[in-house]
Every structure is written in C-alpha cells, then in structure tokens.
Amino acid sequence: MQELNVPSVGESIVEVEIGAWLKKEGESFAQDEPLVELITDKATLELPAPFPGTLVKVLKGTGETAKVGEAIALLEALGAGAAAPEPRPATAPEPQEPLVMPAAERVLREAGVSPGEVVGTGLGGRVLKEDVERYLEERARQAPPQEVPSRRPEPAPPPVQPPADRPWRVSEAVPMSPLRRRIAERLLMVRQTTAMLTTFNEADMSAIIALRKELGEAFQKKHGVKLGFMSFFVKAVVQALKEIPELNAEIRDNAILYHRYYDIGVAVGGGEGLVVPVLRDADRLSFAEIERQIADFAERARTKKLKPEELMGGTFTITNGGVYGSLNSTPLLNPPQVGILGMHAIQERPVAREGQVVVRPMMYLALSYDHRLVDGREAVTFLRRVKELVENPVRLLLEV
C-alpha cells in the first residue's frame, strides 16, 4: 500500500483544492494515467499515477483542500508479473454518470439537477460549469419565471420575482469556481502588496509583418511551426532585460535578488482561465524553439496536460490580450516578479512619419512594474527598448 501525495506545484503554493477524481475506489489504472484533478490559483492540473495499480481509498474528496506533500489517497501497486491494465477506451466507456468538474458539481447540487441531465462538452465528456449554465438557461426559457429554481445557497433569500409584464428580467447568483476564487484572491493580493505602476508605448509592427509575409512559409516548411509574433517579443524582452536587470529581479526579505538567467512566463488560455507556463533559458532558444514550445504549451493547457513544474518560477512574464481583441490594458504583476509586458491587438492607425501622415499597423504596449524596485526611468527605458527591437527586428539578430 502506498500513499498518493500532493506534489509541489509552485514556489508560492502550499495547498491545493481537490477537483474531480478520475478513478473510483477499487478501479485499476495504468502508469501515468490521470487519477485526480488538483486546482491551484494558476491552473487545474491532472495528477498522473506513479505506477500501475488500484485506487484503494480516497482520503481527500472533491472540494477539500490538501497541503503540498499530504496524502490524498491510498494506492496498491500492481503485483509482480501481472500485466498493467489498459486505460479504458474512450469509444466504449462503461455506463456511468458523466465526470463533473467541481465548479459544475456545486451548481448542479444547488440547482437540484442530476449530472445525467446535462450534456458535457469538456474533455472526455466531462460536465463543465458552462454546460450546466446553458442547461439551466434553456430550462428557464421554457418554464414560467416563477418556476425557475433558485441557485443561491441557503439561507440566501430567493431571487426577486420579475414584473409580470417583463418576465425576462431575472437575476441569478452563481457560485464562484474554486479557480476563479483563488485568482481573485491572488489579484487582490497583488494590489495590496506591491507598488504597481504601468507605463505605455506603441510599436509599429510593419517590419515584423513584412518579415513574416516574406519568410513565414519557408519558416513553417523548415521548422514545422508557424512564425508568430510572440517569438519576436520574447527575444526583445530578453535583450531588454539584459540591459535593464532591475526588471529581471525580485525582492526577497530585505535584499534584491538579481537573476542572471531568463525564464520567461508566457500567458496562454487554458480551459478554466489563464495559465503561465515558463520558457526556461529563453535567451538560449531559437525563434523556432520558442514557437514550438509556446504551441505545445497552448495545446496542453487546453487539455490540462501541463506539468506542475512547467508553471513554476519565471523571472518575467508576457501576456497577449490582443488575441482576444484588447486594444489596451493594464496587466497585473505575477509575484514575486517585478515586471510584466502586455501585448495588444494590432490596429491600423494614422501616424506621422517624416512630416507625412501614413497608415501603419500599430500595437499598444504596456509594462506594469513594481515601483518598490523599479524606478520610472528604468521602466520607460525598458519599454522603449522593446519597441525599438520589434520595430527593427534585425537588431535582435545583431543584438544592437
């Protein structure tokens, strides 16, 4: 009999919330087969089986918290000479209730709905919170307003009945998911514990767009991955960090810890929120290696296959709100880092060039920084340097 313990999932994370158990007590599993979901303030991760065996007993149920290193289940290793069980084929599952994500489970329970009534659209048919909300909204449209069940936990008062002549004016209280709740707590902590300021600039993306148009097809043919914008910004950030080391540092007690390596966190969209996997030693990576790693991160973030160690550390972060259409924003710091660069949507705008008004593809850039360590001069210089490098990408190759 062996314990299944919570692994380390981040430098600042001391406990996790138990999500859905993907195996039931008494069920067998193969090595590396996912056993349970762990919810942190960064992501929802699947914990794989360390060896083939059987789940004997669950010690921590869905919704409970567990500290790093704490046992959450008892496992029995497969006997010597026995064959490892094959994972159950996805095309022929045994008849059973669909797997339900923790956030969806709470909404189902409060609404008095059986999981079998909801069609799950998540990985492997799992029921997501959004699936439940769609189901309840559809049911609400088909039922009279007074028959819509309240989803508020007791002893909260029932929802105010809408006017008879305007039955569509209905409000509902939806419980916050564990991941969203922890994200909210973390972001509030950033505001309370850092002296965060943001400086802005804009970059003319003409040169990079022309380069991608000219060489993008040859790049993809040779390296098997598209040439995106992010690799240029990673390269530019690394070069700027070498020149402005205050932004590649952190405050530790009463000392300043300057990092002489460059681990760049890249925010990517996951299934339940943004996750920030880290490009290790980004200064040593080629454009193709950066693009491949980012594409791999994005794919595994959607399927919850990111490893805990890939979300740990990082000396600086880049986030791209432009993929969602954001024109400008103030990115929030990712402590203990003291800097984060926000990229935004590219928009054609009239700008002045050599006394003439011309239309150019422009991107607003935002640098948030911790003013306790980084002065305005360093922040503005850093962002201007990033702008120079992306506007003239040849500088990235020559490091000038």
Side-chain angles (χ1 to χ4, degrees), residues 116-168:
E117 299 179 47
V118 182
V119 177
T121 61
L123 181 65
R126 295 173 189 168
V127 177
L128 309 178
K129 183 185 73 174
E130 293 80 4
D131 299 328
V132 182
E133 290 174 343
R134 280 193 295 270
Y135 171 81
L136 292 174
E137 288 170 2
E138 180 64 27
R139 191 174 71 172
R141 283 193 293 268
Q142 297 176 3
Q146 64 270 18
E147 295 180 10
V148 178
S150 170
R151 285 163 54 187
R152 304 185 188 187
E154 295 297 330
V160 177
Q161 294 296 329
D165 59 337
R166 288 177 291 174
W168 59 86

Side-chain angles (χ1 to χ4, degrees), residues 4 135 138 157 291 326 335 369:
L4 178 66
Y135 171 81
E138 180 64 27
E291 293 293 352
S326 172
Y369 59 98

Side-chain angles (χ1 to χ4, degrees), residues 31 33 39 42 64 89 248 265 269 353 356 382:
Q31 184 169 347
E33 191 174 359
I39 302 172
K42 295 180 181 292
E64 295 187 74
N248 200 47
R353 292 289 186 269
Q356 301 292 323
F382 176 92

Side-chain angles (χ1 to χ4, degrees), residues 195-270:
M196 196 185 84
L197 292 179
T198 305
T199 185
F200 300 92
N201 211 318
E202 61 179 352
D204 185 341
M205 302 297 291
S206 299
I208 291 180
I209 290 174
L211 188 61
R212 293 176 71 232
K213 184 176 181 180
E214 178 185 357
L215 300 176
E217 185 176 346
F219 183 93
Q220 184 171 6
K221 184 176 181 180
K222 180 176 180 179
H223 300 291
V225 65
K226 290 184 178 180
L227 178 60
F229 292 102
M230 187 61 78
S231 54
F232 290 94
F233 277 91
V234 170
K235 288 286 188 180
V237 161
V238 168
Q239 182 62 34
L241 289 175
K242 290 179 179 179
E243 299 172 16
I244 312 293
E246 288 82 1
L247 279 152
N248 200 47
E250 65 180 79
I251 296 174
R252 185 159 306 177
D253 298 325
N254 292 322
I256 301 174
L257 186 63
Y258 290 95
H259 302 297
R260 305 305 183 193
Y261 57 91
Y262 305 91
D263 287 355
I264 308 301
V266 179
V268 297

Side-chain angles (χ1 to χ4, degrees), residues 285-358:
L285 300 177
S286 67
F287 279 81
E289 289 170 330
I290 291 172
E291 293 293 352
R292 275 196 291 265
Q293 285 198 31
I294 291 174
D296 177 58
F297 285 154
E299 175 60 28
R300 289 191 291 121
R302 285 191 290 269
T303 57
K304 300 179 184 177
K305 299 299 183 183
L306 285 172
K307 299 176 183 177
E309 58 268 23
E310 292 174 322
L311 301 171
M312 296 171 59
T315 62
F316 189 91
T317 294
I318 303 174
T319 181
N320 185 6
V323 297
Y324 304 108
S326 172
L327 187 60
N328 210 350
S329 66
T330 300
L332 286 178
L333 291 169
N334 185 18
Q337 298 170 21
V338 296
I340 180 172
L341 176 70
M343 301 165 54
H344 297 91
I346 298 173
Q347 184 183 61
E348 289 194 340
R349 295 196 295 272
V351 295
R353 292 289 186 269
E354 300 178 354
Q356 301 292 323
V357 176
V358 296

